[in-house]
């Protein structure tokens, strides 16, 4: 029989609730392109950081494609040491201010957090953003590498070229330049940043955040050239002839996919690539301040269920659309978009037209879109993606009135560089074939990473690919001990 005076067993104190991220009110934010999420205050960040258990074996790190030392950076925050936290993040992540805003932390680092097993995980992404935004760099170099001394190239005879200036190339360039290797980045467009600039709207990722990261690389003496098109302005072989020792391909997957339906060439039907590029890169969201207006729709239908569809729908809402519908052939639960982005879209008045699949775009006698014919769907057994397969309901059709349609069903590899370089082996889907461990292609010392290899994926996965390739390039060019 137990002793009645026995010391009672201690019970674990439940974790404090997760600190919400302040945001602009929905009715206010749909009238502007300023950031929706406002960021943590110091008090909020400290409260959230205090929730971290500082696990002996932090599973969150394994969930991060670039292996940010999450335990360490949050540990610094718990002590109020923002510079220490920033330096810890920058030891593996070249773009913390970007990642803190657009990475799907809920399925990566936060998805592996032990607190998430029985409650809410630590808001790692929000703390990463707070750290990057709060750390006031004295110089651009300080912002980039966490130290005030520029790590200038020390191997003048060793130079590497990066084609494309998206997240994979910027990460590759940052890693190599910090190891003393001279890097040149060639960008086909007139502005640097790749998908970070032309694809992601200002209200999710402000352009000045991207520019700040690029300027920091310039302080590390990375050279940038815009309006240089790989496969047209120059070829890969010409880079080697010019003395480059290795080449990294980070050209993304910017070729839009279409639905191949009747009426898809009507006036008012756009790919998400064209629509978002016009608004973001062309600064149509600033019209009439900028002389670059975009097509204006009052009733807009967006086809797709991913982040690009959310970006398109929320952009249309801000540009004056009265009604915006996301048309998706499965249900809300199967949508691949980030839950936060989907919730924000619904808060902003975007309507979901689920279990619906387009069969024809219809227009007037002037060739202008007036509606889309849809077929109702039901869900069957799971397909290869693990989601339940949509099945047409025979004879169940209806029309949705719309004067603008945006097709956001994915992208493919841009063929320009690939067609100009037949030596590059491709996958059955047309992407560049690489060694999964090193990122090397079928061409010696030519590496690739990001969407040109995987198809449309996340910013952080592209950064991980850029980092892996850079590590292998540095090992080959500098030797194992210096990489």
């Amino acid at each position: 029989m137990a002793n009645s005076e026995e010391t009672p067993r201690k019970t674990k104190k439940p974790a404090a609730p997760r600190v919400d991220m302040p945001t602009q009110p929905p009715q206010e934010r749909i009238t502007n392109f300023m950031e929706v999420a406002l960021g943590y205050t110091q008090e909020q960040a400290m409260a959230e950081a205090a929730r971290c258990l500082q696990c002996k074996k932090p599973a969150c790190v394994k969930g991060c494609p670039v292996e940010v030392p999450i335990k360490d950076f949050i540990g610094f925050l718990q002590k109020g040491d923002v510079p220490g936290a920033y330096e810890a993040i920058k030891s593996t992540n070249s773009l913390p201010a970007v990642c803190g805003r657009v990475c799907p932390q809920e399925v990566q680092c936060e998805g592996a957090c032990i607190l998430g097993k029985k409650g809410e995980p630590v808001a790692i992404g929000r703390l990463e953003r707070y750290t990057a935004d709060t750390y006031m760099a004295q110089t651009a170099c300080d912002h980039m590498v966490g130290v005030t001394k520029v790590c200038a190239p020390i191997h003048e005879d060793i130079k590497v070229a990066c084609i494309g200036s998206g997240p994979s190339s910027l990460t590759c360039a940052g890693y190599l330049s910090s190891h003393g290797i001279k890097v040149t980045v060639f960008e086909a467009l007139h502005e640097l940043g790749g998908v970070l600039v032309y694809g992601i709207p200002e209200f999710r990722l402000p352009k000045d955040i991207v520019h700040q990261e690029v300027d920091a690389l310039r302080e590390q003496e990375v050279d940038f050239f815009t309006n240089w098109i790989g496969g047209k302005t120059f070829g890969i072989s010409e880079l080697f002839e010019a003395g480059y020792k290795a080449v990294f391909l980070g050209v993304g997957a910017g070729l839009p996919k279409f639905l191949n339906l009747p009426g898809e060439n009507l006036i008012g039907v756009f790919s998400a690539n064209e629509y978002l590029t016009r608004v973001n890169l062309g600064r149509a969201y600033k019209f009439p301040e900028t002389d670059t207006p975009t097509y204006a729709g009052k009733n807009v239908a967006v086809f797709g269920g991913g982040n690009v569809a959310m970006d398109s729908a929320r952009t249309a809402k801000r540009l004056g659309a009265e009604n915006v519908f996301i048309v998706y052939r499965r249900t809300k639960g199967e949508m691949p978009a980030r839950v936060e982005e989907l919730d924000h879209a619904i808060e902003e008045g975007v309507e979901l037209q689920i279990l619906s699949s387009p069969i024809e775009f219809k227009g007037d006698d002037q060739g202008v879109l007036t509606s889309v014919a849809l077929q109702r769907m039901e869900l069957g057994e799971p397909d290869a993606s693990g989601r339940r397969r949509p099945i047409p309901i025979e004879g169940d059709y209806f029309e949705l009135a719309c004067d603008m349609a945006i097709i956001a069903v994915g992208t493919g590899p841009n063929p320009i560089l690939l067609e100009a370089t037949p030596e590059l082996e491709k996958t059955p889907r047309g992407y560049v074939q690489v060694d999964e461990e090193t990122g090397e292609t079928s061409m010696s010392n030519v590496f690739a990473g990001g969407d040109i290899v995987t198809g449309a994926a996340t910013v952080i996965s592209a950064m991980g690919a850029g980092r892996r390739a850079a590590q292998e390039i540095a090992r080959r060019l500098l030797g194992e001990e210096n990489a």
Side-chain angles (χ1 to χ4, degrees):
M1 184 175 178
N3 189 334
S4 60
E5 296 182 1
E6 186 176 299
T7 303
R9 181 177 298 175
K10 292 183 178 180
T11 57
K12 289 185 178 180
K13 184 179 179 181
R18 181 171 162 123
V19 179
D20 290 336
M21 172 72 84
T23 61
Q24 285 194 72
Q27 292 308 309
E28 178 182 321
R29 68 192 190 225
I30 62 173
T31 65
N32 64 66
F33 273 78
M34 295 186 292
E35 269 196 281
V36 169
L38 302 177
Y40 279 156
T41 63
Q42 180 182 3
E43 182 181 8
Q44 291 169 328
M46 292 298 290
E48 184 60 32
R51 298 181 66 241
C52 177
L53 301 177
Q54 291 290 291
C55 304
K56 290 184 178 180
K57 295 182 179 179
C60 54
V61 176
K62 294 182 179 180
C64 175
V66 295
E67 298 183 328
V68 167
I70 296 166
K71 172 185 174 180
D72 296 342
F73 104 74
I74 295 180
F76 281 114
L77 281 185
Q78 289 176 340
K79 300 171 187 176
D81 184 356
V82 173
Y86 183 79
E87 187 171 353
I89 297 172
K90 293 298 295 238
S91 67
T92 67
N93 184 355
S94 299
L95 310 171
V98 170
C99 291
R101 286 168 164 83
V102 302
C103 285
Q105 295 96 1
E106 63 274 11
V107 295
Q108 294 180 332
C109 55
E110 294 178 15
C113 176
I114 190 68
L115 286 182
K117 304 300 180 183
K118 294 184 178 180
E120 296 178 302
V122 174
I124 298 169
R126 295 172 182 177
L127 291 176
E128 182 178 40
R129 170 183 166 158
Y130 168 81
T131 300
D133 289 355
T134 303
Y135 180 71
M136 303 301 292
Q138 295 179 348
T139 68
C141 181
D142 190 11
H143 172 74
M144 183 67 200
V145 298
V147 295
T148 54
K149 182 180 178 181
V150 174
C151 182
I154 57 177
H155 307 286
E156 293 294 343
D157 58 331
I158 302 177
K159 59 181 183 177
V160 174
C162 293
I163 305 178
S165 66
S168 62
S169 282
L170 294 181
T171 299
C172 183
Y175 183 94
L176 294 174
S177 62
S178 69
H179 284 68
I181 294 175
K182 182 65 178 176
V183 183
T184 305
V185 177
F186 298 94
E187 168 57 49
L189 297 173
H190 64 279
E191 187 171 340
L192 300 166
V195 69
L196 302 176
V197 169
Y198 74 74
I200 303 178
E202 183 81 0
F203 56 82
R204 279 219 294 140
L205 179 62
K207 305 293 181 286
D208 60 359
I209 295 292
V210 181
H211 297 160
Q212 190 176 31
E213 304 287 20
V214 171
D215 287 343
L217 284 168
R218 284 196 174 100
E219 289 293 325
Q220 284 186 237
E221 298 192 21
V222 174
D223 290 331
F224 290 92
F225 291 92
T226 56
N227 300 308
W228 283 62
I229 305 173
K232 289 292 185 182
T233 311
F234 63 94
I236 293 176
S237 60
E238 293 176 87
L239 294 175
F240 284 108
E241 291 170 4
Y244 290 96
K245 304 299 183 184
V247 176
F248 177 79
L249 310 180
V251 294
L255 187 67
K257 291 182 179 179
F258 291 92
L259 297 169
N260 296 318
L261 296 175
E264 203 163 24
N265 61 344
L266 287 168
I267 297 170
V269 181
F270 296 86
S271 72
N273 293 57
E274 178 183 358
Y275 181 67
L276 290 175
T277 299
R278 283 184 178 216
V279 175
N280 299 328
L281 188 66
R283 301 298 195 274
Y285 68 92
K286 288 187 175 182
F287 181 80
E289 180 183 334
T290 56
D291 196 21
T292 50
T294 190
Y295 195 87
K298 291 298 181 184
N299 297 292
V300 180
V302 179
F303 300 87
N307 290 329
V308 175
M310 302 304 141
D311 287 344
S312 300
R314 297 173 69 195
T315 295
K317 197 73 177 176
R318 284 162 172 75
L319 291 177
E322 295 174 1
N323 300 293
V324 179
F325 302 91
I326 289 180
V327 181
Y328 188 60
R329 58 184 187 158
R330 292 183 170 94
T331 67
K332 177 183 175 182
E334 282 79 33
M335 286 185 173
R338 291 189 66 191
V339 173
E340 181 177 276
E341 303 306 324
L342 176 56
D343 288 346
H344 282 170
I346 294 172
E347 288 173 0
E348 292 164 8
V350 173
E351 300 179 51
L352 303 185
Q353 182 62 61
I354 59 172
L355 291 172
S356 303
S357 184
I359 56 175
E360 181 182 3
F361 294 103
K362 297 185 177 182
D364 59 19
D365 56 5
Q366 300 297 310
V368 178
L369 177 70
T370 57
S371 67
V372 58
L374 302 171
Q375 181 167 36
R376 296 194 190 277
M377 313 291 282
E378 61 183 354
L379 295 182
E381 296 299 314
D383 60 14
S385 72
R387 295 174 297 172
R388 295 176 65 189
R389 184 187 306 276
I391 300 173
I393 300 176
E394 192 68 31
D396 196 345
Y397 306 99
F398 66 105
E399 282 194 27
L400 180 68
C402 60
D403 56 2
M404 184 176 182
I406 303 171
I407 300 169
V409 295
T411 56
N414 192 309
I416 296 176
L417 180 62
L418 303 188
E419 290 179 354
T421 318
E423 307 96 306
L424 283 173
E425 290 186 9
K426 304 175 190 64
T427 68
R429 296 172 59 205
Y431 297 99
V432 175
Q433 183 74 52
V434 301
D435 181 297
E436 291 185 4
E437 296 295 322
T438 65
E440 189 171 24
T441 69
S442 57
M443 297 176 66
S444 179
N445 288 325
V446 177
F447 299 79
D451 291 0
I452 191 62
V453 172
T454 61
T458 63
V459 168
I460 192 66
S461 65
M463 291 174 60
R467 181 177 173 81
R468 285 193 299 275
Q471 289 172 325
E472 177 63 17
I473 293 170
R475 186 189 69 78
R476 294 189 186 185
L477 300 184
L478 301 180
E480 194 78 44
E481 67 281 0
N482 296 315

